Amino acid sequence: MIVDIAVTESVAVLTIDHPPVNMGNTAMRTALADALDSVATRDGLTGVVLASAGTHFYAGSDISEFDRPMQAPQLPDVISRIENLDIPVVAALTGLALGGGLELALGCDLRVGDPTTVVGFPEVTLGILPGAGGTVRTARLVGVPSAIDLVASARRVTAEEAHALGLLDEVVPGHALLARAVERAAALGTKNRLVDRPAPESDEAAVAAARAAVSKRARPNVLAAVDMVCAGAALDGKDALRRERALFDELRVTDEASNLRYLFFAKRSATKAVRPRTPAPAIATIGIAGAGTMGASLARAFSARGYEVIVFDSNRAALERLADRDGIATTASGAGLGRADVIVDAVFEDMDVKKSLLRDVEPHLRDTAVIVSNTSYLDLNEMASALTVPERFAGLHFFNPPDRNPLVEIIRTTTTDDRTLAVLSALATRLEKTPIPAGIGDGFVANRVYADYRMQAEFLVEDGASPAEVDAALTDLGFAIGPFAVADMSGLDIAWARRKRLADTRDPRQRYVHIADRLCEAGRLGKKTGAGWYDYPDGAKRGVVDPRVDAIIEKARADAGVTARTVPGDEIRDRVLASMVCAAAALVETGVAERASDIDVALTEGFTFPARLGGPVRALARRNRDEVVSALAAAYRSCPVSFAIAEPAAAGEVPEAIEKILEAVR
Ligand code: 3HC
């Protein structure tokens, strides 16, 4: 029974019970509509309470239904039934009331919550807008400026704030919620339909400020949602509801919305894959080894989530920069890490340095302590060999800047045990990161794909595009910032060191572009040195094109025997996309990545790949076969050794390994 009806004196209590999160799908809406129809025919009732069993009131509509034609009764029909009842309906909110859940509550005549209540409109993150009266009733209840903020930001609002805004009429302790809702329903007497109210007069300056807070570069659905809030407030309520639903139906079937839904489920699959099989022990204290930029940033990230943090570094000067800041303790001796439940290695990226750290620190640690390395490229199995208890060791790879970048890779070695994995997964959850599982391989998953993206960007420059043209083509695709501007921001020296490290093992037939090496040799290490791929005169934020870089590029082309040609933006985008997909196929084929969708999660979360395209694999999968073949063939021709996996494309075929991953995400 999805909706239970119980009558207490003259009040009918309808309880929605649809685990795990009280999600609205056809079955649930049908049950709710039937229950409301049944209540409508009962004599002697003075009110109705809409409540929920379980943790959440209603976490919103079932997103998977949005891919198909929607079945009746739809949510607006259910809400109409509530509004059409002669007697008042009180919503008793607990836990989440998101999207359609909040809209259902706004269709009621009064809203009582408990302190766990969290409300919000996540719709814009899914490429749509609230489609069951959210924009219309919210503006009528809390005014246009607050409605713009709530709908466009998709932020979650606590019970306290919801009460202050007027979204909740009352907040009572959880144990008193139902009784209070019944009491209010019995006493209310009259209907209070938000849809019949005019929106409160709003201050034009406040509306303008709320609009201005929404970026002009926001996705089209976000801008449409803001316009809808404003237009709906000026229209008759019923007309506004019709207009909102029509817009919702239009947006729901766009490619962008479909790709964002794909990513929603892709993130959940990745999270499920790293979900522990054993319960995680309590973790209170984190020891960070290394007080450099990465260590300091990690220390802040852990400290901000309530962990006690101790940073260890034998370099006292580095420690002093951290001391007493953000409540972070420091120690110059490995013994100081003895209290830590988890040790995070953030020392210099060098195998000998890391192994020696592990050897030095292990004797001081608790038996139960878990050790994780934040290495980006080094072999974790080899690192584990430095420990007497390698089972307690794994990789937890953060991305820059780790206190803001949501992506984290969880990497199991051949010896990592389940308890250690459970700790890693718990850390990722508490840090509110998006985890993906990764296996051991150079660059694991995300950096490996990004490396091929970067490599292709450099091939394009050697072929004739300028760095600025490549950056522009990729920001047009939707990246927040192009690869050369990113390289300047993060510094060219790390990749330079890596290229030198790999020089001996590089296949001599592989195409190698020397431009970045020449820039580094000229002291152009990126923004920090005032110059990299671009120039940064007087600490300029954005780089400017520097003729000296053009000269380096021209010389490198001549040395490589390349005659520069014009490279159109479409070719730039296709080759870059195809290169990432080649890397993705190789990762899935070798088992370093578990699923193609993990790669899409990694690139959209960690590297600003445009989410509206769903990620590189999904983006190529949505193109037609001829386009796929031509993009892959172009990547193959750019370097037959690096993109050998794409060879069949040169003969007009989609390679099997690539077809497999494209099919998996379609
Ligand atoms: N649609 C489909 N499935 C959903 C879902 C949804 N809205 N919300 C949760 N689920 C599924 C998850 O995929 C997962 O399924 P699985 O166990 O088979 O993988 C299960 O429910 C439990 O979810 P989580 O693992 O994510 O559980 P958490 O406790 O970590 O998080 C949550 C719960 C915060 C509710 C999170 O799932 C979430 O953010 N859900 C989306 C909420 C949302 O966006 N709602 C608005 C929908 S749009 C709408 O309502 C349109 C309206 O305007 C008409």
Side-chain angles (χ1 to χ4, degrees), residues 20-21 23 59-64 66 96 98-100 103 122-123 126 128-132 156 245 248 264-265 268 272 275:
V21 293
M23 188 175 69
S61 306
D62 180 347
I63 298 164
S64 63
F66 294 175
L96 296 170
L98 298 179
E103 292 176 302
E123 284 89 341
L126 295 163
I128 52 173
L129 84 179
R156 292 186 182 178
R245 189 67 183 180
F248 167 84
F264 173 85
F265 289 113
R268 264 142 193 91
K272 241 186 189 173
R275 205 170 278 165

Side-chain angles (χ1 to χ4, degrees), residues 179-514:
R180 183 60 181 156
V182 168
E183 200 181 332
R184 296 292 304 255
L188 208 55
T190 54
K191 293 290 282 181
N192 179 21
R193 295 183 192 92
L194 294 178
V195 68
D196 293 342
R197 283 196 203 173
E201 262 319 294
S202 44
D203 173 0
E204 273 179 35
V207 175
R211 270 183 169 278
V214 180
S215 161
K216 287 199 176 57
R217 293 189 57 202
R219 287 195 296 259
N221 69 304
V222 183
L223 301 175
V226 172
D227 288 344
M228 183 61 226
V229 170
C230 297
L235 286 171
D236 163 75
K238 295 265 163 52
D239 291 341
L241 289 180
R242 270 190 291 277
R243 185 187 293 195
E244 185 203 64
R245 189 67 183 180
L247 252 176
F248 167 84
D249 280 332
E250 236 173 70
L251 290 168
R252 179 172 65 77
V253 296
T254 56
D255 280 350
E256 181 164 330
S258 166
N259 291 335
L260 291 166
R261 287 195 288 277
Y262 156 78
L263 276 179
F264 173 85
F265 289 113
K267 278 185 220 165
R268 264 142 193 91
S269 300
T271 305
K272 241 186 189 173
V274 298
R275 205 170 278 165
R277 276 166 281 186
T278 52
I283 303 296
T285 307
I286 308 287
I288 308 241
T293 315
M294 180 51 98
S297 178
L298 282 172
R300 280 193 296 277
F302 280 101
S303 173
R305 299 291 164 182
Y307 290 105
E308 182 192 351
V309 177
I310 309 168
V311 179
F312 159 63
D313 201 311
S314 49
N315 176 348
R316 284 182 189 274
L319 282 183
E320 265 158 33
R321 284 197 293 274
L322 266 174
D324 291 336
R325 230 203 289 152
D326 307 314
I328 296 166
T330 58
T331 173
S333 132
L337 295 177
R339 281 187 310 116
D341 301 305
V342 175
I343 316 299
V344 182
D345 145 44
V347 300
F348 188 63
E349 191 76 341
D350 176 276
M351 184 57 86
D352 292 338
V353 174
K354 297 220 182 246
K355 275 175 149 175
S356 123
L357 167 84
L358 297 180
R359 271 191 221 103
D360 291 350
V361 158
E362 193 182 26
H364 301 292
L365 302 183
R366 292 178 172 174
D367 290 347
T368 53
V370 160
I371 312 169
V372 300
S373 175
N374 181 42
T375 179
S376 301
Y377 292 102
L378 299 176
D379 183 340
L380 288 158
N381 281 328
E382 191 182 339
M383 284 172 69
S385 70
L387 292 166
T388 53
V389 190
E391 292 80 4
R392 57 156 89 179
F393 177 75
L396 187 63
H397 181 214
F398 294 88
F399 292 80
N400 261 322
D403 46 348
R404 273 181 287 139
N405 191 317
L407 180 64
V408 67
E409 286 174 331
I410 295 189
I411 309 139
R412 182 174 207 151
T413 72
T414 49
T415 43
T416 307
D417 64 18
D418 281 351
R419 179 181 177 278
T420 300
L421 276 189
V423 169
L424 266 58
S425 174
L427 291 178
T429 305
R430 176 126 158 231
L431 292 170
E432 293 185 27
K433 299 285 181 198
T434 305
I436 64 156
I440 294 181
D442 190 53
F444 309 115
V445 171
N447 275 344
R448 165 77 177 80
V449 178
Y450 194 74
D452 280 12
Y453 162 83
R454 290 252 7 200
M455 179 167 70
Q456 184 58 261
E458 292 186 22
F459 292 165
L460 285 157
V461 169
E462 197 176 62
D463 287 345
S466 70
E469 282 167 347
V470 173
D471 278 355
L474 294 168
T475 48
D476 279 356
L477 186 72
F479 273 96
I481 154 167
F484 295 107
V486 169
D488 276 357
M489 269 170 60
S490 32
L492 272 54
D493 40 341
I494 296 174
W496 189 28
R498 179 162 177 262
R499 286 195 300 275
K500 287 192 238 173
R501 198 172 60 237
L502 295 178
D504 289 345
T505 50
R506 188 177 307 117
D507 185 335
R509 295 167 309 146
Q510 194 172 351
R511 180 174 176 185
Y512 186 84
V513 177
H514 292 270

